[in-house]
Amino acid sequence: MKSDRLLSILLLLQTRGRVPAHELAQRLEVSVRTIYRDIEALSASGVPVYAERGRHGGIELLAGFRTDVTGLTADESRALFVLAAQGAHAALGLDAALGSALRKVMAALPAPHRPAAEVTSRRILVDATRWKGGPRPAVDLQVLQDAVFADRRLGLRYRHSGAREPRTYTVDPYGLVSKAGVWYLVADRRGEPRLFRADRVRSARLLDDPVRRRPGVELPDVWEVLRRQVEERPGGFEVTVRVRRDRLDMFLRLSASSLAELPEDDGAGEWITARLSYGSPRETRQLLAYADSVEVVSPPEAREELREAAASLARLYC
């Protein structure tokens, strides 16, 4: 609706200052011509807004102009109170600030929307942590936060998975991401995107140099690249297994990241055939966790890997 778009433009200008017309058009998914027509409508309604042309031009509100109107709809009011569990805010030291902010937002909401927002906050909870994720080491995000907000480079001592000793890096941070309860630092190293688990950072210090991010690149852009790299990492070693029907649901849940495709279940027989994809034969050893509920059919290398692993276990416990 045009009224919603006018309010969105007003709030964007109020929070961002000068904004190029093409950026407003992109954010609101309309043409630049429509944006200029909306600016004329705002001006005609008494809002002191003007456009400045040129390389560094854009659309801007008159200095000092503010509006207290929230413009929130009922659904938008409810959406603000569907929040993640407090773990993420606690890690950032923002638990108290979150509670204070929500109280202020509640007071600013239009009176008819307050009951629905309050019920939503009591009835909906988003917990981003996994079941039985195991204990995690305490993570100190303070220095990482300082670097992100101060636009400074970071010196890290970082221990990679499987490595005994940490390595030293100088990185250019874009920001922090919480993924399923795990915090990651998203940064460039020598101009290339890198992902660092916060709980593997052994030490971090702010450097005097300003951050050197790639022009026009923002945190969501870098995160999307890194996320795809992790999720689309090629397996290369395919394994065919048979799974007992009564353990199939558990197998599918625990092996979801390694499934080459969903198994076909014709509803008959005790065993279901499934195909998995691993990075190396050694990774198939994790199938030992299913004991006699999963049988490796092929290739021979996978069966041999499991035989060796089982023999090692037998020697250990004899």
Side-chain angles (χ1 to χ4, degrees), residues 78 81-89 98 102 119-129 131:
R78 293 174 61 195
F81 287 83
V82 179
L83 297 171
Q86 294 183 346
H89 302 94
L98 173 65
L102 289 180
V119 168
T120 299
S121 68
R122 289 161 43 202
R123 297 290 182 263
I124 305 295
L125 175 67
V126 179
D127 188 342
T129 57
W131 291 111

Side-chain angles (χ1 to χ4, degrees), residues 5 9 12-13 16-39 50-60 216 218:
R5 192 171 66 244
I9 293 173
L12 279 169
L13 296 178
R16 294 278 308 279
R18 182 177 299 178
V19 183
H22 67 82
E23 183 176 333
L24 288 174
Q26 185 177 16
R27 279 175 169 267
L28 301 176
E29 299 181 346
V30 296
S31 67
V32 173
R33 176 179 291 185
T34 298
I35 291 296
Y36 280 118
R37 283 202 296 263
D38 289 345
I39 296 306
Y50 65 95
E52 188 170 310
R53 301 187 180 277
R55 181 179 178 183
H56 301 291
I59 298 168
E60 192 172 359
E218 298 291 340

Side-chain angles (χ1 to χ4, degrees), residues 232-294:
E232 298 175 4
R233 186 173 295 160
F237 186 75
E238 291 200 352
V239 177
T240 301
V241 300
R242 295 198 311 157
V243 186
R244 290 190 186 277
R245 181 180 299 280
D246 59 356
R247 304 305 296 275
L248 181 62
D249 286 345
M250 179 194 71
F251 173 79
L252 293 178
R253 287 198 308 271
L254 299 181
S255 301
S257 61
S258 301
L259 283 174
E261 60 186 24
L262 286 175
E264 294 184 6
D265 184 0
D266 58 7
E270 181 184 357
W271 296 86
I272 307 296
T273 300
R275 290 197 309 113
L276 304 166
S277 181
Y278 293 105
S280 67
R282 189 174 183 82
E283 291 182 17
T284 61
R285 294 191 173 202
Q286 62 190 262
L287 293 173
L288 287 175
Y290 299 103
D292 61 350
S293 297
V294 174

Side-chain angles (χ1 to χ4, degrees), residues 10 16 39 48 61 72 84-86 88 93 133-135 137 145 162 164 177 202 207 225 246 251 269:
L10 178 58
R16 294 278 308 279
I39 296 306
L61 292 170
L72 291 173
Q86 294 183 346
Q145 281 190 85
R164 291 187 175 182
V177 173
R202 291 297 170 259
L207 304 181
V225 170
D246 59 356
F251 173 79

Side-chain angles (χ1 to χ4, degrees), residues 97-144:
L98 173 65
S100 176
L102 289 180
R103 287 191 293 271
K104 292 176 182 178
V105 170
M106 182 67 78
L109 288 178
H113 298 343
R114 291 175 193 167
E118 184 176 359
V119 168
T120 299
S121 68
R122 289 161 43 202
R123 297 290 182 263
I124 305 295
L125 175 67
V126 179
D127 188 342
T129 57
R130 295 180 179 178
W131 291 111
K132 298 182 180 179
R136 292 195 180 110
V139 178
D140 184 1
L141 297 176
Q142 189 59 57
V143 178
L144 305 185

Side-chain angles (χ1 to χ4, degrees), residues 189-261:
R189 179 175 181 262
R190 298 177 178 174
E192 295 295 327
R194 296 287 299 271
L195 198 59
F196 299 91
R197 272 185 64 144
D199 57 8
R200 292 182 185 155
V201 174
R202 291 297 170 259
S203 65
R205 61 187 180 90
L206 269 69
L207 304 181
D208 294 332
D209 300 330
V211 71
R212 302 174 188 173
R213 302 186 185 110
R214 285 167 282 151
V217 179
E218 298 291 340
L219 174 61
D221 306 319
V222 187
W223 172 249
E224 180 65 15
V225 170
L226 294 168
R227 183 188 64 79
R228 287 182 178 274
Q229 288 178 0
V230 172
E231 294 179 356
E232 298 175 4
R233 186 173 295 160
F237 186 75
E238 291 200 352
V239 177
T240 301
V241 300
R242 295 198 311 157
V243 186
R244 290 190 186 277
R245 181 180 299 280
D246 59 356
R247 304 305 296 275
L248 181 62
D249 286 345
M250 179 194 71
F251 173 79
L252 293 178
R253 287 198 308 271
L254 299 181
S255 301
S257 61
S258 301
L259 283 174
E261 60 186 24

